[in-house]
Amino acid sequence: MTDRILDGIRIVELASGLAVPVAARMLAEAGADVIKVESPQGDPLRERVAFASWNRSKRSVVLDITTDDGRAKLADLLDTADVFVHEFSPSRAVELGLDDATLREHHPHLIVSSVTGYPVDHPDRDRPANDLLVQARSGLMGELWGYREGPIAMRFPLPSWAAASLAAAGIVARLIQRDGTGRIGAVHTSLLQGMLNTASLAWNNAENPIPTLILNKYEAPPQLAMYQCSDGVWLQMMNPGERIDVSAIPLVKEVAAELGGDLTDLSRNASEDLRTVIAQRPSTEWLPVFRAADLGIEPALQMGELLRDPQVTANGYVVEVDDPTHGKTIQAGNPFGVDPPCAVTRPAPRLGEHTDEVFAELEFLRADPAVPAVSTDETADPRPLAGLKIVDLGSFLAGPMAPMLMADLGAEVIKVEPVVGDRLRYKPSYWEACSRNKRSLAVDLTTEQGQEVLRKLVGWADVVHHNQRPKASAKLGIDEAGLRAIKPDVVVGYVTSYGEKGNRADSPGFDSIFQALAGWEVENGGVGNPPQFSRFGVLDIQTALGSLIGTLLAVYYKQRTGRGTKASGSLLSAATATQSETLIRLADDSVAEYPRFDATQTGFGPGRRIYEVADGWVAVVADADGQLAKLRAIAGAADDAGIETGLAAFESEKLLVELEAAGIAAEPVREEYSFEFFDDEANRTGQLIASYDHAHFGRMEQPGAYWNFDDLTLKFDRAAPVIGQHTREILTELGYGDEEIDAMRAMAEVPVLVDSLLGRSHR
């Protein structure tokens, strides 16, 4: 039995920035030996505080891969590695001899992964892999409503964070496949695919749409259900369906009475009357009262402050690291927990700190290669998770998204929902985004019959995944103890709001309140502006992606050891993980500096922002040496302050040509792009669009593959199911006869739905 899940796995990383280093860091702390290859000048990110968090638990080797000697030494490293992960565009990879075909020829044992700007088979595949530029070209900026007209840059680096998790999950899926079948190949993702994974909550194209399937940015204003207290603190509230009658809370009634007048609209989300009431008292009075009423509510903090939260500490979501640059620090942990647990093995390395050590090991490692044979079974399903059986007991977004992504990778997923349907069905665009490639079984788990069905399902499954609150999961018998009583070696994937420990473990959690807690509402708003809510469920998706990685690690561990274990995640752990752009220096208890958006919500400064031009907007990244001077010259500006005025007279096409000639990376800012995305044939041929027949909406199209493989094509042949669409089919597979199924039908509490639930309308 290994001490950590990826013990014995060796990964060579060749990249800078966020996506690849964070992906490799997560795998390093799950046990992999990650060797970070840097140029003699070092990773450019070393200048930022984020380097300490994104690159800890790795070893640093210096190589100049532009030289023959450097490439030869890199080849020596790859000879002894299991995985190579890099950031090179396809053309640059060919120039360096690091493309899939060349690596397959010289290192057939190697799993190769990359994170590029755009998919490796897409016409845009060689365009810059910069988060701001991908936000612009992908249409993400046009989806955000801010404090001015026009597109809004998103401070949260959504494409990069999602791509980091997709890359890590893809690598673990390939390791599962390699050790299970011997099949070895590449797995790539991109910043665009990371963006699309989140944009899928609103982006779809249905033959027969309904209004609630088509969402635009105006459905969620920047200050949705956000209230400022008398001490200046903003509170983000979430009260779906006005479940809690806020007007009945004693302190609300007391303050409303003091104010007098006609303050009656006190329960509706985003109520102006409630804003008036809350503005009368400090946040220290409101927070305990609202929490006691079981409202979802959190303050909008500055980024980094979450690292001090007692609930974060209680659940082990932060780590103490003695960093060679910053001294003793508190840093963000990983967005998932596993058993055996992840661990920090060392601080971020000094440049080239382990060069001699790593190369001294090579002869020993070459003498004992452990390379599995490559599969020759052409009839086997080539998808990496083929044969894996999953029961999805989740609801809303953070629970069901991870099982859907596993279904995309080939797993068989049964979605279990109440006979009245999953609570997310009230928002069809969100439901569709996390439900494809699944079969639906509708059953009441609170009944004895429902519990019998549950026991049979757990007996069938390799993995059970859910996001019930701890008390609710124990009551239903789907907590870890209850599931292991049915099947001792089942893998349990479990998502909560606030973690399993601490006094808030059973508090309700929603994406928006964690955006506030994590500081992203403050950062997205820009310096000096009120906090801004982002309508996309960015932290719901990050929670799901973290759970995906953790659950796959648990599957891999079971494959290696035979022991079923648990992978946990939470909105709080995902929110904490995104704090890794900063850290707390324990010497003075300060939050370290990090880049901030300006008040215009255009970007970080003159060299990295979006500019309004005569016919739209253009995103510019001119932060390399000398590039800002070139930008000033193009704008005819004497100083940085004049760039905006100078560029405003340009037509976008002419400006983009001039910027390219000057070697400055830039992209057009696409607005209202979602339907145009589905019309672009390049996206269709590149598997970026999935298409299937839907029971209600006719032909349904959604963002498709979030990974690209060199030896297989993913399948998207099953639309999100209607309620209980496959109930009869699944119950039959579990051993129930027609008479037993019909008896269940007769006892159903919602007769109107019965025919649909038992699949009769779909036969």
Coordinates of all heavy atoms in Angstrom, one line a residue, residues 61-117:
V61 N 14.7 22.1 -12.1 CA 15.8 21.8 -12.9 C 16.0 22.9 -13.9 O 15.0 23.3 -14.6 CB 15.6 20.4 -13.6 CG1 16.6 20.2 -14.7 CG2 15.7 19.3 -12.5
V62 N 17.2 23.3 -14.2 CA 17.5 24.3 -15.2 C 18.0 23.7 -16.5 O 19.0 22.9 -16.4 CB 18.5 25.4 -14.7 CG1 19.0 26.3 -15.9 CG2 17.8 26.3 -13.7
L63 N 17.3 23.9 -17.6 CA 17.7 23.4 -18.9 C 17.4 24.5 -19.9 O 16.4 25.2 -19.8 CB 17.0 22.2 -19.3 CG 17.2 20.9 -18.6 CD1 16.3 19.8 -19.1 CD2 18.7 20.5 -18.7
D64 N 18.3 24.6 -20.9 CA 18.0 25.5 -22.0 C 17.6 24.6 -23.2 O 18.4 24.1 -23.9 CB 19.2 26.3 -22.4 CG 19.0 27.3 -23.5 OD1 17.9 27.3 -24.1 OD2 19.9 28.1 -23.8
I65 N 16.3 24.4 -23.4 CA 15.8 23.5 -24.4 C 15.9 24.0 -25.8 O 15.5 23.3 -26.7 CB 14.3 23.1 -24.1 CG1 13.4 24.3 -24.2 CG2 14.2 22.4 -22.7 CD1 11.9 23.8 -24.2
T66 N 16.4 25.3 -25.9 CA 16.7 25.7 -27.3 C 18.0 25.3 -27.8 O 18.3 25.5 -29.0 CB 16.6 27.3 -27.3 OG1 17.7 27.8 -26.6 CG2 15.3 27.8 -26.8
T67 N 18.8 24.6 -27.0 CA 20.1 24.0 -27.4 C 20.0 22.5 -27.5 O 19.1 21.9 -26.9 CB 21.2 24.4 -26.4 OG1 20.9 23.7 -25.1 CG2 21.2 25.9 -26.1
D68 N 20.9 21.9 -28.3 CA 20.9 20.5 -28.5 C 21.2 19.8 -27.1 O 20.5 18.8 -26.8 CB 22.0 20.1 -29.5 CG 21.7 20.5 -30.9 OD1 20.5 20.8 -31.2 OD2 22.7 20.6 -31.7
D69 N 22.1 20.3 -26.3 CA 22.4 19.7 -25.0 C 21.2 19.8 -24.1 O 20.8 18.8 -23.5 CB 23.6 20.4 -24.4 CG 23.9 19.8 -23.0 OD1 24.3 18.7 -23.0 OD2 23.7 20.5 -22.0
G70 N 20.5 20.9 -24.1 CA 19.3 21.0 -23.3 C 18.2 20.0 -23.7 O 17.5 19.4 -22.9
R71 N 18.0 19.9 -25.0 CA 16.9 19.0 -25.5 C 17.3 17.5 -25.2 O 16.5 16.7 -24.9 CB 16.7 19.2 -27.0 CG 15.9 20.4 -27.3 CD 15.5 20.5 -28.8 NE 16.6 20.6 -29.7 CZ 17.1 21.8 -30.1 NH1 16.5 22.9 -29.6 NH2 18.1 21.8 -30.9
A72 N 18.6 17.2 -25.3 CA 19.1 15.8 -25.0 C 18.8 15.5 -23.5 O 18.4 14.4 -23.1 CB 20.6 15.7 -25.3
K73 N 19.1 16.5 -22.6 CA 18.9 16.3 -21.2 C 17.4 16.2 -20.9 O 17.0 15.4 -20.0 CB 19.5 17.4 -20.4 CG 21.1 17.3 -20.4 CD 21.7 18.4 -19.5 CE 23.2 18.2 -19.4 NZ 23.8 19.3 -18.7
L74 N 16.6 17.0 -21.6 CA 15.1 16.8 -21.4 C 14.7 15.5 -21.8 O 13.8 14.8 -21.1 CB 14.4 17.9 -22.2 CG 12.9 17.9 -22.2 CD1 12.4 18.0 -20.7 CD2 12.2 18.9 -23.1
A75 N 15.2 14.9 -22.9 CA 14.9 13.6 -23.3 C 15.2 12.6 -22.3 O 14.5 11.6 -22.1 CB 15.6 13.3 -24.7
D76 N 16.4 12.8 -21.6 CA 16.8 11.9 -20.5 C 15.7 11.9 -19.4 O 15.4 10.9 -18.8 CB 18.1 12.3 -20.0 CG 19.3 12.0 -20.9 OD1 19.1 11.1 -21.8 OD2 20.4 12.6 -20.7
L77 N 15.2 13.1 -19.1 CA 14.2 13.2 -18.1 C 12.9 12.5 -18.5 O 12.3 11.8 -17.7 CB 13.9 14.7 -17.8 CG 14.9 15.5 -17.0 CD1 14.4 16.9 -16.9 CD2 15.2 14.9 -15.6
L78 N 12.5 12.7 -19.7 CA 11.3 12.1 -20.2 C 11.4 10.5 -20.3 O 10.4 9.8 -20.2 CB 10.9 12.6 -21.6 CG 10.6 14.1 -21.6 CD1 10.3 14.6 -23.0 CD2 9.5 14.5 -20.6
D79 N 12.6 10.0 -20.5 CA 12.8 8.6 -20.5 C 12.4 7.9 -19.2 O 11.9 6.8 -19.1 CB 14.3 8.2 -20.7 CG 14.7 8.3 -22.2 OD1 13.8 8.2 -23.0 OD2 15.9 8.4 -22.5
T80 N 12.5 8.7 -18.1 CA 12.1 8.1 -16.8 C 10.8 8.7 -16.2 O 10.6 8.4 -15.0 CB 13.3 8.4 -15.8 OG1 13.4 9.8 -15.6 CG2 14.6 7.8 -16.3
A81 N 10.1 9.4 -17.0 CA 8.9 10.0 -16.5 C 7.6 9.2 -16.9 O 7.7 8.5 -17.9 CB 8.7 11.4 -17.0
D82 N 6.6 9.4 -16.2 CA 5.3 8.8 -16.5 C 4.4 9.8 -17.3 O 3.6 9.5 -18.2 CB 4.5 8.5 -15.3 CG 5.2 7.4 -14.4 OD1 5.0 6.2 -14.7 OD2 5.9 7.8 -13.5
V83 N 4.6 11.1 -17.0 CA 3.8 12.2 -17.6 C 4.7 13.4 -17.9 O 5.6 13.7 -17.2 CB 2.7 12.7 -16.6 CG1 1.9 13.8 -17.1 CG2 1.8 11.5 -16.1
F84 N 4.4 14.0 -19.1 CA 5.0 15.2 -19.5 C 3.9 16.2 -19.7 O 3.0 16.0 -20.5 CB 5.8 15.0 -20.8 CG 6.4 16.3 -21.3 CD1 7.0 17.2 -20.5 CD2 6.3 16.6 -22.7 CE1 7.5 18.4 -21.0 CE2 6.8 17.8 -23.2 CZ 7.5 18.7 -22.4
V85 N 3.9 17.4 -19.0 CA 2.9 18.4 -19.2 C 3.5 19.7 -19.5 O 4.5 20.1 -18.9 CB 2.0 18.4 -17.9 CG1 2.8 18.8 -16.6 CG2 0.9 19.4 -18.1
H86 N 3.0 20.4 -20.5 CA 3.6 21.6 -21.0 C 2.6 22.6 -21.5 O 1.4 22.3 -21.5 CB 4.6 21.2 -22.2 CG 3.9 20.7 -23.4 ND1 3.4 21.5 -24.4 CD2 3.7 19.4 -23.8 CE1 2.9 20.8 -25.4 NE2 3.1 19.5 -25.1
E87 N 3.0 23.7 -22.0 CA 2.1 24.8 -22.4 C 2.4 25.2 -23.9 O 1.8 26.3 -24.3 CB 2.4 26.0 -21.5 CG 3.8 26.6 -21.6 CD 4.0 27.9 -20.8 OE1 3.0 28.3 -20.2 OE2 5.2 28.3 -20.7
F88 N 3.1 24.4 -24.6 CA 3.5 24.9 -26.0 C 2.3 24.7 -27.0 O 1.6 23.7 -27.0 CB 4.7 24.1 -26.5 CG 5.9 24.3 -25.6 CD1 6.5 23.2 -25.0 CD2 6.5 25.5 -25.5 CE1 7.6 23.4 -24.2 CE2 7.6 25.7 -24.7 CZ 8.2 24.6 -24.1
S89 N 2.1 25.7 -27.8 CA 1.2 25.6 -28.9 C 1.6 24.4 -29.8 O 2.8 24.1 -29.8 CB 1.1 26.9 -29.7 OG 2.3 27.1 -30.4
P90 N 0.7 23.9 -30.6 CA 1.1 22.8 -31.5 C 2.3 23.1 -32.4 O 3.2 22.3 -32.6 CB -0.2 22.5 -32.3 CG -1.3 22.9 -31.3 CD -0.8 24.1 -30.6
S91 N 2.3 24.3 -33.0 CA 3.4 24.7 -33.9 C 4.7 24.8 -33.1 O 5.8 24.3 -33.6 CB 3.1 26.0 -34.6 OG 2.0 25.8 -35.5
R92 N 4.7 25.4 -32.0 CA 5.9 25.5 -31.2 C 6.4 24.1 -30.7 O 7.6 23.9 -30.6 CB 5.7 26.4 -30.0 CG 6.9 26.7 -29.1 CD 8.0 27.3 -29.9 NE 9.2 27.6 -29.0 CZ 10.4 27.7 -29.4 NH1 10.7 27.4 -30.7 NH2 11.4 28.0 -28.6
A93 N 5.5 23.3 -30.3 CA 5.8 21.9 -29.9 C 6.6 21.2 -31.0 O 7.6 20.5 -30.8 CB 4.6 21.1 -29.5
V94 N 6.1 21.3 -32.3 CA 6.8 20.7 -33.4 C 8.2 21.3 -33.6 O 9.2 20.5 -33.8 CB 6.0 20.9 -34.7 CG1 6.8 20.5 -35.9 CG2 4.7 20.1 -34.7
E95 N 8.3 22.6 -33.4 CA 9.7 23.2 -33.6 C 10.6 22.6 -32.5 O 11.8 22.5 -32.8 CB 9.6 24.7 -33.4 CG 8.8 25.4 -34.5 CD 8.6 26.9 -34.2 OE1 9.1 27.3 -33.1 OE2 8.0 27.6 -34.9
L96 N 10.1 22.3 -31.3 CA 11.0 21.8 -30.3 C 11.1 20.3 -30.2 O 11.8 19.8 -29.4 CB 10.4 22.3 -28.9 CG 10.5 23.8 -28.7 CD1 9.7 24.2 -27.4 CD2 11.9 24.3 -28.5
G97 N 10.4 19.6 -31.1 CA 10.4 18.2 -31.1 C 9.6 17.6 -29.9 O 9.9 16.5 -29.5
L98 N 8.6 18.4 -29.5 CA 7.8 18.0 -28.3 C 6.4 17.8 -28.7 O 5.5 17.8 -27.8 CB 7.9 19.0 -27.2 CG 9.4 19.2 -26.6 CD1 9.4 20.3 -25.6 CD2 9.9 17.9 -26.0
D99 N 6.1 17.6 -30.0 CA 4.7 17.3 -30.4 C 4.4 15.8 -30.1 O 5.3 15.0 -29.8 CB 4.6 17.5 -31.9 CG 5.6 16.7 -32.7 OD1 6.8 17.1 -32.6 OD2 5.3 15.8 -33.4
D100 N 3.1 15.5 -30.2 CA 2.7 14.2 -29.8 C 3.3 13.1 -30.6 O 3.8 12.0 -30.0 CB 1.1 14.1 -29.9 CG 0.4 14.9 -28.9 OD1 1.0 15.4 -28.0 OD2 -0.9 15.0 -29.0
A101 N 3.4 13.3 -31.9 CA 3.9 12.2 -32.7 C 5.4 11.9 -32.4 O 5.8 10.7 -32.3 CB 3.8 12.6 -34.2
T102 N 6.2 13.0 -32.2 CA 7.6 12.8 -31.9 C 7.8 12.2 -30.6 O 8.6 11.2 -30.4 CB 8.4 14.1 -32.0 OG1 8.2 14.7 -33.3 CG2 9.8 13.9 -31.8
L103 N 7.1 12.6 -29.6 CA 7.2 12.1 -28.3 C 6.7 10.6 -28.2 O 7.3 9.8 -27.5 CB 6.4 12.9 -27.3 CG 6.9 14.3 -27.0 CD1 5.9 15.1 -26.2 CD2 8.2 14.2 -26.2
R104 N 5.7 10.3 -29.0 CA 5.2 8.9 -29.0 C 6.3 8.0 -29.6 O 6.5 6.9 -29.2 CB 3.9 8.8 -29.8 CG 3.2 7.4 -29.7 CD 2.0 7.4 -30.6 NE 1.1 8.5 -30.4 CZ 0.9 9.4 -31.4 NH1 1.5 9.4 -32.5 NH2 0.1 10.4 -31.1
E105 N 7.0 8.5 -30.6 CA 8.1 7.7 -31.3 C 9.2 7.5 -30.3 O 9.8 6.3 -30.2 CB 8.6 8.4 -32.5 CG 9.7 7.7 -33.2 CD 10.2 8.5 -34.4 OE1 9.6 9.6 -34.8 OE2 11.2 8.1 -35.0
H106 N 9.6 8.5 -29.6 CA 10.8 8.3 -28.7 C 10.5 8.0 -27.3 O 11.4 7.4 -26.6 CB 11.6 9.7 -28.7 CG 12.1 10.0 -30.1 ND1 13.2 9.4 -30.7 CD2 11.8 11.0 -31.0 CE1 13.4 9.9 -31.9 NE2 12.6 10.9 -32.1
H107 N 9.3 8.2 -26.8 CA 8.9 7.9 -25.4 C 7.5 7.3 -25.4 O 6.6 7.9 -24.9 CB 9.0 9.2 -24.6 CG 10.2 10.0 -24.7 ND1 11.4 9.7 -24.1 CD2 10.4 11.1 -25.4 CE1 12.3 10.6 -24.4 NE2 11.8 11.5 -25.2
P108 N 7.4 6.1 -26.0 CA 6.0 5.5 -26.1 C 5.3 5.2 -24.8 O 4.1 5.0 -24.8 CB 6.3 4.2 -26.9 CG 7.8 3.9 -26.6 CD 8.4 5.2 -26.5
H109 N 6.1 5.2 -23.7 CA 5.5 5.0 -22.4 C 4.8 6.2 -21.8 O 4.2 6.2 -20.7 CB 6.6 4.5 -21.4 CG 7.6 5.6 -21.2 ND1 8.5 6.0 -22.1 CD2 7.8 6.5 -20.1 CE1 9.3 7.0 -21.6 NE2 8.9 7.3 -20.4
L110 N 5.0 7.4 -22.4 CA 4.7 8.7 -21.8 C 3.3 9.2 -22.0 O 2.8 9.2 -23.2 CB 5.7 9.7 -22.4 CG 5.9 11.0 -21.6 CD1 6.5 10.8 -20.2 CD2 6.9 11.9 -22.4
I111 N 2.6 9.6 -21.0 CA 1.4 10.3 -21.1 C 1.7 11.8 -21.3 O 2.4 12.4 -20.5 CB 0.5 10.1 -19.8 CG1 0.1 8.7 -19.7 CG2 -0.7 11.1 -19.8 CD1 -0.6 8.4 -18.3
V112 N 1.2 12.4 -22.4 CA 1.6 13.8 -22.7 C 0.3 14.6 -22.5 O -0.8 14.3 -23.0 CB 2.1 13.9 -24.1 CG1 2.4 15.4 -24.4 CG2 3.3 13.0 -24.3
S113 N 0.5 15.8 -21.9 CA -0.6 16.7 -21.7 C -0.2 18.1 -21.9 O 1.0 18.4 -21.7 CB -1.2 16.6 -20.2 OG -2.3 17.4 -20.0
S114 N -1.1 18.9 -22.4 CA -0.7 20.4 -22.6 C -2.0 21.2 -22.3 O -3.1 20.7 -22.4 CB -0.2 20.6 -24.0 OG -1.3 20.5 -24.9
V115 N -1.7 22.4 -21.9 CA -2.8 23.4 -21.8 C -2.4 24.6 -22.7 O -1.4 25.3 -22.5 CB -2.9 24.0 -20.4 CG1 -4.0 25.0 -20.3 CG2 -3.3 22.8 -19.4
T116 N -3.1 24.7 -23.8 CA -2.9 25.8 -24.8 C -4.0 26.8 -24.7 O -4.9 26.7 -23.8 CB -2.8 25.2 -26.2 OG1 -4.0 24.4 -26.4 CG2 -1.6 24.3 -26.3
G117 N -3.9 27.8 -25.5 CA -5.0 28.8 -25.5 C -6.3 28.3 -26.1 O -7.4 28.6 -25.5

